[in-house]
Amino acid sequence: MSPKTFHVKSFGCQMNVYDGERMAELMAAQGLTQADAVDADVVVLNTCHIRERATEKVYSDIGRLRKDQRRKSGKTPMIAVAGCVAQAEGEEIFTRAKVDIVVGPQAYHNLPDLVAKAAAGTPSLDTDMPLLSKFGALPSRRKVAPSAFLTVQEGCDKFCTYCVVPYTRGAEISRPFAAIVDEAKALVDAGAREITLLGQNVNAWSENERGLHDLIRDLDRIPGLARIRYTTSHPNDMTQGLIDAHRDIESLMPFLHLPVQSGSDRVLKAMNRSHTRDSYLRLLDRVRAVRPDIALSGDFIVGFPGETNAEFDDTLSLVDAVGYAQAYSFKYSPRPGTPAASIVEQVPESVMDERLQRLQAALNRDQHAFNAATVGRTCTVLLERAGKLPGQLIGKSPWLQSVHLIGNHAIGDLVEVTLAAAGPNSLTGIERIAEAA
């Protein structure tokens, strides 16, 4: 029997969130209705393969989902595993979990056909990696939230020794300029006030002689688009044109996510990162020279194979030197097939745990300090969702901070506020009332 309801659950990065939204739009375009996971006829698990724990969580979720549905209704859902785990493990997923569909991140536009085959009793696998053909097969954008994602670039040619992305997402490729602009206009028409451009190496986007800064300049001309962001960037692709865009383009928010991974040059070389500690810090100096108020974010891996105590201390000293507004930090997780997984000198789990706690304490300290330093500033907040208190709305500042505001406003409004109080993860804003002339 053909399914009538669906649910999409996405794990991992913002690109997975975007892909999950597009898969939901595909299913809705086929006449299916969105439902909770415990009620849906077909459940799509849109997976992440960056860390081992995320991969194993998929298999746990499959078992839990089947158990919950049997307990509630006695039925068994059709299960589709999508995303990077699907690409990496392929047919092994059928062996381990006996799911109905396995579809990779470059083939999810075929999901309706795969669902039809599974409904007829034929489990289906599609992990082909055609060059961006999925975007032409996706339906038009529907009503969206005030802040929306837009994928402009996929894949990676950097081959960091710890990372599976080149194997699960393929080579770096840029979507055509015209297609991006058309989708951005559709998102604004559907209600978006802010668009975040996405890519594994988003600042590697190019078309002929144009780079990401040229694309941002054209998007800035779209009526109704108030804010532009982009993530995730690679230091090697941070051009002067993109740096200057932070000075020249008002809609480009003062926020930059620029992963460094380690503060040790030896570790960076072992990771096959193309930057050094010094070149990274000098790059940040150039960015701050054109946009002194910019909020900086980064990624860190602790416990990379062979990392010594002194090399970890180099990472802590880099954190002290930068003062990140926010950052993401993880323990190294060996991914099968990557060069780092075969290095003999793996760091013990207990050592990684201790280092991660110290690193996160330093990052949390700096995030709180950045938030506290913005108290008293007046800025525009984009309201995105309702808060827990009556009349409370939550939005984002230009520096990507969560701001709580109580007032007579609607989701999607841009409100001038004074940041009045700071916590470690959010701020309280007070609406700025314009003085009478």
Side-chain angles (χ1 to χ4, degrees):
M1 188 174 77
S2 297
K4 294 181 173 57
T5 58
F6 74 93
H7 181 85
V8 178
K9 180 178 181 180
S10 291
F11 304 80
C13 68
Q14 292 165 317
M15 289 190 71
N16 265 20
V17 174
Y18 172 88
D19 288 346
E21 291 173 351
R22 302 313 317 263
M23 283 188 271
E25 290 167 357
L26 272 171
M27 304 294 276
Q30 299 298 310
L32 278 71
T33 302
Q34 197 157 354
D36 291 336
V38 293
D39 298 313
D41 298 326
V42 55
V43 178
V44 181
L45 300 176
N46 186 29
T47 62
C48 172
H49 195 57
I50 294 297
R51 286 169 293 281
E52 183 178 11
R53 184 174 298 177
T55 302
E56 291 305 314
K57 180 173 173 57
V58 174
Y59 292 105
S60 297
D61 271 21
I62 291 170
R64 186 182 307 110
L65 178 64
R66 286 173 172 155
K67 182 178 179 180
D68 289 346
Q69 285 221 8
R70 282 197 299 268
R71 183 188 300 120
K72 183 173 183 180
S73 62
K75 69 179 183 180
T76 300
M78 178 189 298
I79 296 179
V81 177
C84 291
V85 171
Q87 188 70 39
E89 303 202 3
E91 292 186 4
E92 177 67 17
I93 300 173
F94 288 124
T95 302
R96 287 190 62 178
K98 294 181 172 59
V99 299
D100 302 279
I101 297 166
V102 176
V103 58
Q106 304 295 14
Y108 68 73
H109 57 293
N110 296 324
L111 189 57
D113 290 339
L114 301 177
V115 169
K117 290 178 182 177
T122 304
S124 297
L125 169 73
D126 190 345
T127 53
D128 287 345
M129 300 182 74
L131 298 181
L132 298 179
S133 63
K134 67 182 179 187
F135 291 101
L138 295 172
S140 299
R141 302 309 304 263
R142 57 181 184 174
K143 183 175 175 61
V144 299
S147 182
F149 294 131
L150 198 171
T151 292
V152 302
Q153 179 272 342
E154 290 205 344
C156 183
D157 295 341
K158 303 299 189 285
F159 287 93
C160 298
T161 57
Y162 53 83
C163 186
V164 297
V165 167
Y167 313 103
T168 58
R169 289 275 184 170
E172 286 182 4
I173 187 167
S174 299
R175 289 184 65 190
F177 172 86
I180 295 169
V181 173
D182 286 346
E183 186 171 342
K185 290 178 178 177
L187 287 169
V188 173
D189 289 344
R193 306 297 305 279
E194 173 182 277
I195 291 177
T196 300
L197 308 178
L198 300 179
Q200 266 82 37
N201 290 308
V202 67
N203 55 343
W205 182 90
S206 65
E207 184 178 273
N208 300 323
E209 298 300 316
R210 290 186 286 196
L212 185 65
H213 58 287
D214 298 303
L215 175 61
I216 291 172
R217 289 180 190 278
D218 279 81
L219 296 180
D220 178 58
R221 300 188 182 102
I222 297 176
L225 179 57
R227 293 179 163 193
I228 301 171
R229 302 183 188 273
Y230 61 92
T231 195
T232 291
S233 302
H234 193 285
N236 196 50
D237 297 313
M238 198 71 196
T239 65
Q240 189 61 46
L242 188 53
I243 293 172
D244 290 343
H246 279 281
R247 176 193 62 208
D248 300 336
I249 302 174
E250 185 176 356
S251 65
L252 181 57
M253 293 293 96
F255 183 91
L256 175 62
H257 182 67
L258 195 65
V260 60
Q261 306 301 358
S262 173
S264 160
D265 283 345
R266 190 205 67 81
V267 173
L268 289 171
K269 185 175 181 180
M271 289 177 166
N272 197 35
R273 300 289 286 178
S274 57
H275 57 87
T276 65
R277 173 195 180 96
D278 183 63
S279 69
Y280 179 82
L281 290 173
R282 284 188 285 109
L283 180 57
L284 296 187
D285 287 342
R286 288 163 56 200
V287 175
R288 280 177 161 151
V290 303
R291 191 69 201 247
D293 70 331
I294 199 161
L296 296 172
S297 174
D299 287 352
F300 294 90
I301 294 173
V302 303
F304 184 82
E307 181 188 64
T308 66
N309 288 331
E311 289 166 344
F312 173 68
D313 287 342
D314 288 340
T315 295
L316 290 179
S317 68
L318 183 141
V319 167
D320 291 343
V322 173
Y324 289 94
Q326 57 177 257
Y328 303 93
S329 54
F330 311 96
K331 293 184 293 185
Y332 168 75
S333 177
R335 310 313 298 128
T338 59
S342 62
I343 298 176
V344 174
E345 299 173 281
Q346 299 289 321
V347 176
E349 188 76 17
S350 60
V351 174
M352 288 197 287
D353 285 338
E354 188 270 339
R355 289 178 184 172
L356 184 64
Q357 289 177 20
R358 290 173 62 194
L359 175 60
Q360 289 182 340
L363 293 171
N364 290 339
R365 172 204 67 202
D366 289 349
Q367 178 173 323
H368 197 178
F370 182 89
N371 286 347
T374 61
V375 170
R377 287 186 183 177
T378 296
C379 66
T380 303
V381 171
L382 174 61
L383 300 176
E384 298 180 0
R385 59 189 173 89
K388 295 180 179 179
L389 301 178
Q392 185 185 64
L393 291 170
I394 300 174
K396 290 292 194 301
S397 77
W399 305 284
L400 205 63
Q401 302 154 302
S402 290
V403 179
H404 300 254
L405 178 70
I406 293 179
N408 186 25
H409 296 287
I411 292 173
D413 286 350
L414 286 158
V415 182
E416 288 291 315
V417 305
T418 298
L419 301 177
N425 300 308
S426 64
L427 295 98
T428 299
I430 299 175
E431 184 177 2
R432 182 174 179 271
I433 306 299
E435 296 180 1

